[in-house]
């Protein structure tokens, strides 16, 4: 069986802990590899090597670092199909989705090709007699990225590209469910010119993560995953004096106003609710039609669309709409939540339970489920299901729909479908959610903006990628310099006042 280790000092190495966890093929349920779980000692050694390598990398000027990003971007493009296949093999998502995963990460690498401009400081000429002020952005040192299973290419690239472009070394701890893509990306960035040791990929579980959080050399931690772990990591990293940004789970609502184009809204809900088996932090999991007429119109359009969805393995071709979920435990949890929805009185309009695919009976497939008449106290509303389940909460008015979203614990993404500009504008301004779509179901901002939720969807300051990432991965230093030849006549008085 394939044994997956780590990537240390520019080469793949086996783990020494003797501890492993299984990597499944989610379509068949078979174990296809085992991945090593690092000990604290292995993690500390990887950090120490990274700290040595970081000195030379920080001294490499930003334009040269950007050239590494350029070559890395080219290599990702050349290896697009190979990387997408690696993603789909371990995650189970369709190949077009796998390519999308790589593509959205590549777009962040492309922004990092502009690192010199993004790292430019500020300058004040003649802030006082003979006095100029300037600020510079300096790398932090060794930083860490801890990433989830659901985007095995995109999120590691969101972490590594800006961190490295800023002159840091990075310890990347990918999800133990999907470790292979990160290792391949490490090989490609070495080929692009990154010096050995500047990116270390260390696989592991809680022991490896805790070793990162307690290591004094690690200056910052960027985490993406579920809310309880995000909160835990944020707390422990901050207590240990590290900069931390920890992005958590979500429950994203879409309001459908009575004036919306109902066909377009239904198409959007099917893609945003069930794409990638609902395993997206920006998936729409709650539809909120306003008024009974809009709700009924939506049910009428959604049911045939959902029933037509094709569920299958990524190897079955590009007409598969979504694949299996990540583990047997995830499948059991999702089906348990669907049961709870029925027991708690929601109307199950499309039932995805008991789904089975010939030849893949042991795969972790879950059929699509659609609930109507969901209320906020039900478990299917309160919990992040992270599966192919769409809940419909009927709202009597626009204000009730907005209040529902405002009172929800999460605040990652949301959307509204409407033909009315005033309503759309009011929604965008009022709602307490980090990313808003107007007639756009999954408003993941483009790579030169930034990505981040509010409320329990994010802990810490600054968003991921874009200009915020360049702030997160650097420290600002401001210099006040006085050169006496610059003191102009009449300026002497002011000069004394400045002392
Ligand atoms: P997870 O929280 O289980 O795991 C994320 C990372 O944390 C992994 O690397 C894992 O090894 C590590 N980890 C797990 N348990 C830990 C523990 N007890 N102590 C220390 N580290 C631990 O998340 P997941 O299941 O891999 O990913 C799905 C979750 O990620 C969903 O909740 C989803 O909404 C969220 N997500 C959020 C965003 C965002 O940007 N807000 C993006 C993608 C996914």
């Amino acid at each position: 069986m394939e044994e997956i280790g780590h990537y240390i000092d520019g080469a793949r190495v086996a783990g020494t802990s003797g501890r492993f966890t299984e990597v499944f093929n989610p379509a068949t349920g078979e174990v296809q590899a085992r991945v090593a779980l690092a000990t604290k000692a292995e993690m500390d050694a990887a950090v120490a090597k990274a700290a040595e390598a970081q000195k030379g990398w920080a001294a490499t000027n930003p334009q040269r670092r950007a050239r590494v990003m350029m070559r890395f971007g080219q290599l990702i493009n050349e290896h697009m199909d190979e990387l997408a296949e690696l993603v789909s093999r371990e995650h189970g998502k369709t190949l077009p989705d796998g390519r999308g995963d790589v593509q959205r990460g590549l777009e962040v690498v492309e922004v990092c090709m502009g690192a010199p401009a993004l790292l430019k400081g500020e300058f004040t000429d003649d802030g006082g007699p003979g006095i100029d002020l300037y600020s510079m952005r300096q790398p932090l040192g060794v930083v860490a990225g801890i990433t989830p299973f659901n985007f095995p290419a995109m999120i590691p690239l969101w972490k590594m590209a800006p961190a490295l472009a800023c002159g840091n070394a990075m310890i990347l701890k990918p999800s133990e469910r999907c470790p292979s893509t990160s290792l391949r990306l490490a090989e490609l960035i070495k080929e692009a010119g990154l010096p050995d040791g500047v990116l270390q990929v260390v696989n592991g579980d809680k022991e490896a993560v805790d070793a990162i959080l307690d290591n004094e050399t690690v200056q910052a931690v960027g985490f993406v995953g579920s809310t309880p772990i995000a909160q835990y990591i944020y707390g422990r990293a901050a207590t240990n004096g590290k900069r931390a940004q920890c992005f958590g789970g979500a429950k994203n609502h879409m309001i459908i106003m009575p004036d919306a184009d109902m066909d377009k809204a239904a198409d959007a809900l099917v893609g945003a609710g069930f794409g990638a088996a609902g395993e997206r932090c920006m998936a729409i999991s709650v539809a909120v039609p306003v008024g009974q007429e809009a709700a009924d119109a939506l049910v009428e359009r959604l049911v045939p669309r959902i029933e037509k969805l094709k569920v299958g393995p990524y190897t079955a071709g590009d007409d598969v709409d979504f694949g299996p979920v990540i583990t047997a435990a995830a499948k059991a949890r999702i089906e348990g939540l669907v049961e709870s929805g029925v027991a708690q009185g929601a109307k199950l309009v499309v039932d995805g339970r008991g789904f089975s695919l010939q030849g893949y009976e042991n795969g972790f497939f879950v059929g699509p489920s659609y609930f109507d008449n969901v209320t906020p106290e039900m478990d299917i509303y309160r919990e992040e299901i992270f599966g192919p389940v769409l809940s419909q909460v009927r709202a009597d008015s626009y204000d009730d729909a907005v209040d529902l979203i405002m009172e929800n614990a999460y605040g990652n993404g949301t959307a509204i479908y409407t033909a009315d500009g005033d309503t759309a504008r009011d929604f965008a301004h009022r709602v307490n959610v980090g990313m808003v779509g107007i007639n756009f179901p999954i408003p993941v901002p483009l790579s030169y903006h930034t990505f981040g939720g509010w409320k329990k969807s994010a802990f810490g300051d600054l968003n991921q990628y874009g200009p915020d990432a360049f702030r997160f991965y650097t420290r600002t230093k401001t210099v006040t310099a006085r050169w006496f030849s610059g003191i102009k006549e009449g300026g002497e008085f002011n000069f004394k006042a400045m002392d």
Side-chain angles (χ1 to χ4, degrees):
M1 181 180 304
E2 187 193 354
E3 211 155 274
I4 300 168
H6 315 292
Y7 189 87
I8 306 288
D9 220 11
R12 288 192 191 234
V13 298
T16 59
S17 68
R19 282 206 311 131
F20 295 88
T21 192
E22 293 166 327
V23 179
F24 291 92
N25 174 346
T28 62
E30 285 160 4
V31 177
Q32 60 182 351
R34 55 180 205 160
V35 59
L37 302 173
T39 59
K40 177 170 164 44
E42 284 175 294
M43 183 60 81
D44 288 346
V47 172
K49 279 226 157 90
E52 271 170 43
Q54 192 263 339
K55 291 184 198 120
W57 180 238
T60 305
N61 73 52
Q63 201 155 17
R64 285 174 190 271
R65 298 201 298 255
R67 284 186 200 131
V68 172
M69 291 296 151
M70 282 178 214
R71 286 193 289 273
F72 185 38
Q74 278 165 358
L75 287 168
I76 292 174
N77 252 318
E78 285 164 23
H79 292 264
M80 177 67 75
D81 289 343
E82 177 203 343
L83 289 165
E85 167 103 30
L86 273 183
V87 166
S88 297
R89 261 190 84 212
E90 290 179 349
H91 178 283
K93 63 176 78 176
T94 65
L95 277 176
D97 243 0
R99 277 192 286 274
D101 194 326
V102 180
Q103 177 63 30
R104 296 307 296 254
L106 170 61
E107 287 164 15
V108 170
V109 175
E110 286 167 354
V111 168
C112 293
M113 296 174 189
L118 285 157
L119 288 168
K120 260 190 337 206
E122 294 175 326
F123 189 88
T124 296
D125 177 40
D126 265 349
I131 295 174
D132 305 322
L133 286 89
Y134 59 94
S135 64
M136 52 182 130
R137 295 191 169 281
Q138 296 188 322
L140 301 177
V142 180
V143 300
I146 302 164
T147 57
F149 80 82
N150 67 324
F151 282 99
M154 180 182 85
I155 298 180
L157 286 167
W158 286 4
K159 298 290 162 209
M160 70 164 88
L164 299 175
C166 289
N168 300 289
M170 169 159 271
I171 304 291
L172 179 64
K173 207 301 283 170
S175 167
E176 59 274 41
R177 310 259 168 254
C178 303
S180 294
T181 313
S182 290
L183 293 166
R184 187 70 187 113
L185 288 169
E187 288 175 340
L188 292 179
I189 200 168
K190 175 183 165 123
E191 198 179 327
L194 189 77
D196 291 348
V198 176
L199 175 69
Q200 312 270 59
V201 182
V202 185
N203 282 306
D205 57 4
K206 183 170 166 51
E207 182 174 345
V209 170
D210 287 346
I212 289 173
L213 300 177
D214 294 341
N215 187 303
E216 281 186 10
T217 303
V218 175
Q219 298 295 303
V221 178
F223 170 87
V224 182
S226 57
T227 288
I229 309 297
Q231 201 159 2
Y232 161 72
I233 289 181
Y234 181 69
R236 189 149 167 178
T239 302
N240 288 339
K242 299 184 196 317
R243 194 177 280 197
Q245 53 172 201
C246 300
F247 299 92
K251 195 81 186 174
N252 306 315
H253 300 59
M254 182 166 120
I255 296 181
I256 302 96
M257 295 300 291
D259 63 5
D261 180 324
M262 287 295 160
D263 286 310
K264 287 202 166 69
D267 286 340
L269 275 170
V270 171
F274 300 102
E279 290 176 323
R280 290 177 179 146
C281 69
M282 289 292 276
I284 295 288
S285 49
V286 188
V288 192
V290 172
Q292 301 304 329
E293 225 172 278
D296 293 340
L298 214 52
V299 174
E300 193 186 302
R301 285 165 177 77
L302 277 173
V303 171
R305 283 169 167 83
I306 296 170
E307 285 175 344
K308 256 205 308 226
L309 287 171
K310 191 168 168 201
V311 184
Y314 78 91
T315 44
D318 285 1
D319 63 330
V320 170
D321 291 295
F322 66 85
V325 298
I326 189 70
T327 53
K331 176 180 156 93
R333 181 178 168 273
I334 294 162
E335 290 187 339
L337 277 160
V338 174
E339 291 290 343
S340 82
V342 175
Q344 290 171 15
K347 183 174 172 195
L348 187 55
V349 191
V350 180
D351 186 353
R353 289 172 300 175
F355 179 91
S356 179
L357 199 62
Q358 209 185 352
Y360 294 90
E361 287 79 2
N362 296 324
F364 311 141
F365 291 99
V366 182
S369 289
Y370 174 35
F371 279 107
D372 195 7
N373 298 336
V374 175
T375 56
E377 55 287 344
M378 293 177 181
D379 290 344
I380 48 170
Y381 179 78
R382 287 187 306 105
E383 302 249 337
E384 180 187 37
I385 301 177
F386 223 56
V389 182
L390 181 66
S391 299
Q392 178 158 299
V393 180
R394 293 177 176 233
D396 289 334
S397 67
Y398 165 69
D399 282 329
D400 285 354
V402 178
D403 286 349
L404 182 75
I405 300 174
M406 303 279 278
E407 282 160 23
N408 193 274
Y410 296 104
N412 214 37
T414 187
I416 188 166
Y417 267 64
T418 181
D420 184 73
D422 283 314
T423 307
R425 189 171 190 283
D426 177 76
F427 181 65
H429 276 256
R430 222 194 317 165
V431 75
N432 56 2
V433 172
M435 292 169 281
V436 181
I438 295 171
N439 296 320
F440 198 85
I442 304 195
V444 174
L446 289 171
S447 53
Y448 41 91
H449 287 260
T450 67
F451 181 110
W454 289 13
K455 298 187 275 184
K456 292 237 181 254
S457 294
F459 303 85
D461 295 323
L462 298 172
N463 283 352
Q464 310 189 75
Y465 66 75
D468 266 17
F470 280 74
R471 294 185 191 107
F472 182 75
Y473 289 116
T474 55
R475 277 192 188 95
T476 302
K477 185 181 282 175
T478 308
V479 179
T480 303
R482 179 162 67 198
W483 293 101
F484 299 98
S485 62
I487 301 169
K488 296 174 191 104
E489 211 174 313
E492 190 67 17
F493 175 75
N494 291 338
F495 157 56
K496 285 196 174 123
M498 292 282 291
D499 272 337

